[in-house]
Amino acid sequence: MPRALSAVVVTGLLLPFAGLAEEESAPGGTYLSDTQRERTPSITAFPKYPYVARRDRMEGEATICFTVNAKGQIIRPGVRSSSHRIFDKPALEAIRASTFEPLKPGESKSNLKTCRIFRFRLDPISVANEKG
Amino acid sequence: MIKLKSLALLLLAMVLGPAALAQSPESTKTTTNSVMTIGQRNPALYDGAQALLAGNDEQGVMLTLEGQKLAQGAREEEAALSNLCAGYIRLRQLDTAMKYCDTLLERNPNHWRGYNNRAVIYLELKEYEKADQDLKRAESLNPEARTVKVARAIYMDAVYPVAPAVEIDDRQGGARKGNDKNR
């Protein structure tokens, strides 16, 4: 089993993300990460679900690549790939609202170049669960 | 979420067509030999549409009823019927709204707004099969209409509800799995 997948942290989170159009949906969120990373995320912003995608029942994903500097700031984010352009903007905005922990005094590391995948899903709700 | 916000938008949009159709009575165009009137000389219908757009539903319906009496030609009559259907939906008088939508669709079976408006009534009444039938007709007549897409979304949310979710994957292997196609 690849090392990257050997210790996966799955955390159910509901993180609000401000700054997008109010008609877009605040989705439920899940964060997947390796336990051993070069840099530790500080703020992980979740994107809103695009209104039109929600309306038209569109699911998909966007991969955003970026650099993390010594201060933990994300710089030069860019869309590496996405299933539909509609997911690019919310994913980029979420990345821009996210940060990593800064390097400790005396710690010396080069800027981290990495990527983050955003998967947008529409999970069926059973009527029984909704009523319950 | 889509239900409440979008229904208001949906109903507003229903009167846009007639609002554009029933132009101001002063709207004229001079040609070399004559003055050609653009739009229809029916200020009540125009003002009724504007009142409905502004959210003055009772006044909008009242003016549209006046405009209906003065309507000349099929387009004005159908605009009046369509707006009365939308107006009575907004006034929560669904039986009356249904009557106007039915009349409209008897006159013009290809009026996509009529099917869309009636679908909204069926959605309100939780008669989802009938709503689906009318939405299919509206979609076939005007596949790109935003109001029809919103009505379809309301139907889908009622019948097949979903919850939006976003998964963030920071795994190194996961990130590498991102494909580059469809760009």
Side-chain angles (χ1 to χ4, degrees), chain A residues 50-63:
Chain A
Y51 171 76
V52 171
R54 166 81 180 79
R55 185 194 71 188
D56 294 347
R57 299 280 169 134
M58 293 167 61
E59 296 181 306
E61 68 178 47
T63 301

Side-chain angles (χ1 to χ4, degrees), chain A residues 22 27-32 34 37 46 49 51 54-55 57 80-82 88 116-119 121 123 125, chain B residues 5-6 149 153 156-157 160-172 174-175 179-181 183:
Chain A
E22 63 181 26
T30 304
Y31 178 61
L32 307 177
D34 305 323
R37 290 183 58 86
F46 276 70
Y49 212 101
Y51 171 76
R54 166 81 180 79
R55 185 194 71 188
R57 299 280 169 134
R80 176 184 168 191
S81 65
S82 72
D88 294 1
R116 176 172 283 177
I117 302 175
F118 295 89
R119 296 193 182 94
R121 299 193 321 261
D123 296 336
I125 303 170
Chain B
K5 279 189 180 175
S6 303
K149 290 183 177 180
M156 292 295 286
D157 275 1
Y160 307 105
V162 291
V166 176
E167 181 181 86
I168 293 179
D169 193 343
D170 264 357
R171 295 173 300 183
Q172 291 173 36
N179 64 65
D180 290 336
K181 60 186 179 183
R183 287 295 292 167

Side-chain angles (χ1 to χ4, degrees), chain A residues 13-112:
Chain A
L13 297 172
L14 286 169
L15 298 179
F17 177 65
L20 292 178
E22 63 181 26
E23 62 182 0
E24 294 174 335
S25 304
T30 304
Y31 178 61
L32 307 177
S33 175
D34 305 323
T35 50
Q36 294 179 335
R37 290 183 58 86
E38 290 182 55
R39 302 292 294 272
T40 307
S42 175
I43 297 172
T44 304
F46 276 70
K48 297 254 176 140
Y49 212 101
Y51 171 76
V52 171
R54 166 81 180 79
R55 185 194 71 188
D56 294 347
R57 299 280 169 134
M58 293 167 61
E59 296 181 306
E61 68 178 47
T63 301
I64 310 294
C65 293
F66 52 92
T67 301
V68 182
N69 66 15
K71 294 178 180 175
Q73 297 166 327
I74 288 175
I75 54 176
R76 292 192 293 275
V79 179
R80 176 184 168 191
S81 65
S82 72
S83 58
H84 193 287
R85 286 180 182 275
I86 201 168
F87 299 114
D88 294 1
K89 187 181 172 190
L92 276 170
E93 290 192 6
I95 281 290
R96 291 191 180 110
S98 300
T99 60
F100 283 71
E101 295 290 341
L103 293 180
K104 292 170 186 168
E107 200 173 13
S108 170
K109 283 183 185 174
S110 58
N111 287 349
L112 170 69

Side-chain angles (χ1 to χ4, degrees), chain B residues 65 68 81-82 84-86 88-89 93-107 118 121-122 125:
Chain B
L65 285 168
Q68 186 190 25
L81 290 168
S82 180
L84 286 168
C85 180
Y88 279 110
I89 292 172
Q93 296 180 33
L94 300 182
D95 288 346
T96 309
M98 182 73 82
K99 186 183 79 177
Y100 283 108
C101 266
D102 285 344
T103 306
L104 170 63
L105 292 169
E106 281 169 18
R107 289 175 57 103
R118 197 169 68 179
I121 299 171
Y122 285 133
L125 296 172

Side-chain angles (χ1 to χ4, degrees), chain B residues 63-163:
Chain B
L63 286 166
T64 307
L65 285 168
E66 284 178 28
Q68 186 190 25
K69 291 175 193 167
L70 304 171
Q72 293 180 359
R75 288 185 70 194
E76 276 194 22
E77 288 166 8
E78 288 171 12
L81 290 168
S82 180
N83 283 5
L84 286 168
C85 180
Y88 279 110
I89 292 172
R90 289 171 63 108
L91 291 172
R92 309 292 303 163
Q93 296 180 33
L94 300 182
D95 288 346
T96 309
M98 182 73 82
K99 186 183 79 177
Y100 283 108
C101 266
D102 285 344
T103 306
L104 170 63
L105 292 169
E106 281 169 18
R107 289 175 57 103
N108 182 357
N110 293 319
H111 201 287
W112 69 269
R113 287 181 190 276
Y115 289 113
N116 196 55
N117 288 8
R118 197 169 68 179
V120 171
I121 299 171
Y122 285 133
L123 287 170
E124 288 286 313
L125 296 172
K126 301 191 188 306
E127 295 187 35
Y128 297 122
E129 283 189 24
K130 289 180 179 174
D132 185 36
Q133 287 172 9
D134 275 354
L135 284 172
K136 282 176 181 164
R137 291 188 189 113
E139 285 161 349
S140 68
L141 291 164
N142 192 349
E144 296 305 315
R146 180 177 172 274
T147 52
V148 178
K149 290 183 177 180
V150 174
R152 171 59 75 186
I154 295 170
Y155 166 83
M156 292 295 286
D157 275 1
V159 180
Y160 307 105
V162 291

